[in-house]
Amino acid sequence: MNISSYILFLVLFMVGCDIQSLNTDKIKLEQSKDVVKTDMQNPQQQDLVLAKDYYVAKKALDKAVQEKDVAVIRKGLKGFSFQIKKDVVKEVKKLNDKTFVPDLADVLELNQGALSGGSEVEVQQKELDRLIISALEQLTGLKFDYTENLSQTYNMSENDDVQRIIKQARLWWKVNKNEFQKN
């Protein structure tokens, strides 16, 4: 027995611990670590779609689309990146689920604020606006022809047009929701 093993044995003997209980505690600790690690790696898919990391959020969205998990897809509209929101809007169009109309109107409204990031962010906002407007036209059957010539930068008259779209979409939903909501 080398000196370090002997010292460890003496310390354990003095505190009333034996090697068997020490090994058992170590095994329990390792098992607890594994459970915590697994839980941290598998948070709810709804939370993953909101991840700041695009690839994590995209993977969660792709899984939701594959599983036709409308709740996760809907939550994706509140995603961190413009690209995730655009991906969600594209999926909503494919689903052709009219229950998304109020959600799309809300996202369109929230997208109208000024964000830091300059012209690059404005371009992304505009792209998202166009996708949402296109989805709203498809889902509602309404035509928003007055928005076809929106420029790449925001101005007050365009914002008025967007507010008009939001109002029309919400009115359409108010009139038609009973037909499309599940009981």
Side-chain angles (χ1 to χ4, degrees):
M1 191 184 290
N2 65 26
I3 190 97
S4 60
S5 297
Y6 182 71
I7 293 172
L8 178 63
F9 176 76
L10 283 176
V11 169
L12 292 175
F13 180 75
M14 288 179 174
V15 293
C17 231
D18 60 12
I19 299 295
Q20 182 62 36
S21 67
L22 187 62
N23 284 337
T24 303
D25 290 343
K26 182 179 178 185
I27 290 169
K28 288 179 184 175
L29 180 62
E30 289 298 321
Q31 288 172 341
S32 296
K33 280 187 195 174
D34 289 343
V35 169
V36 170
K37 186 176 179 182
T38 302
D39 288 346
M40 289 176 67
Q41 288 175 342
N42 298 322
Q44 289 188 356
Q45 191 173 343
Q46 286 190 4
D47 295 334
L48 287 176
V49 80
L50 298 176
K52 289 184 179 182
D53 182 325
Y54 171 76
Y55 297 102
V56 171
K58 178 65 172 154
K59 187 174 179 180
L61 175 61
D62 291 345
K63 184 177 179 187
V65 168
Q66 182 181 14
E67 295 173 355
K68 297 187 184 341
D69 189 338
V70 175
V72 174
I73 296 169
R74 182 170 273 115
K75 194 162 190 176
L77 286 169
K78 298 175 183 169
F80 179 73
S81 75
F82 282 109
Q83 189 58 51
I84 284 296
K85 291 177 188 177
K86 289 190 283 188
D87 291 347
V88 171
V89 173
K90 289 174 187 175
E91 292 302 328
V92 167
K93 285 182 75 171
K94 288 178 190 174
L95 287 172
N96 202 33
D97 184 342
K98 294 173 183 357
T99 63
F100 277 92
V101 169
D103 302 298
L104 291 171
D106 291 345
V107 173
L108 184 59
E109 184 173 47
L110 290 172
N111 195 42
Q112 300 314 301
L115 298 175
S116 62
S119 60
E120 183 178 322
V121 171
E122 287 181 10
V123 169
Q124 290 183 34
Q125 280 181 284
K126 189 64 70 178
E127 288 174 17
L128 181 57
D129 283 352
R130 286 192 176 121
L131 276 172
I132 293 170
I133 290 167
S134 173
L136 285 170
E137 285 182 328
Q138 177 184 323
L139 296 175
T140 64
L142 299 172
K143 294 293 176 214
F144 309 117
D145 296 334
Y146 49 90
T147 61
E148 286 181 4
N149 296 321
L150 291 179
S151 66
Q152 290 297 320
T153 59
Y154 283 96
N155 67 41
M156 187 53 87
S157 66
E158 291 172 357
N159 193 28
D160 290 344
D161 288 342
V162 171
Q163 293 305 319
R164 189 170 143 199
I165 292 169
I166 294 166
K167 186 176 180 180
Q168 287 177 323
R170 286 180 175 154
L171 179 61
W172 182 90
W173 178 248
K174 186 176 180 181
V175 169
N176 295 287
K177 70 180 174 184
N178 290 335
E179 183 179 342
F180 302 108
Q181 280 183 324
K182 294 176 183 165
N183 295 329

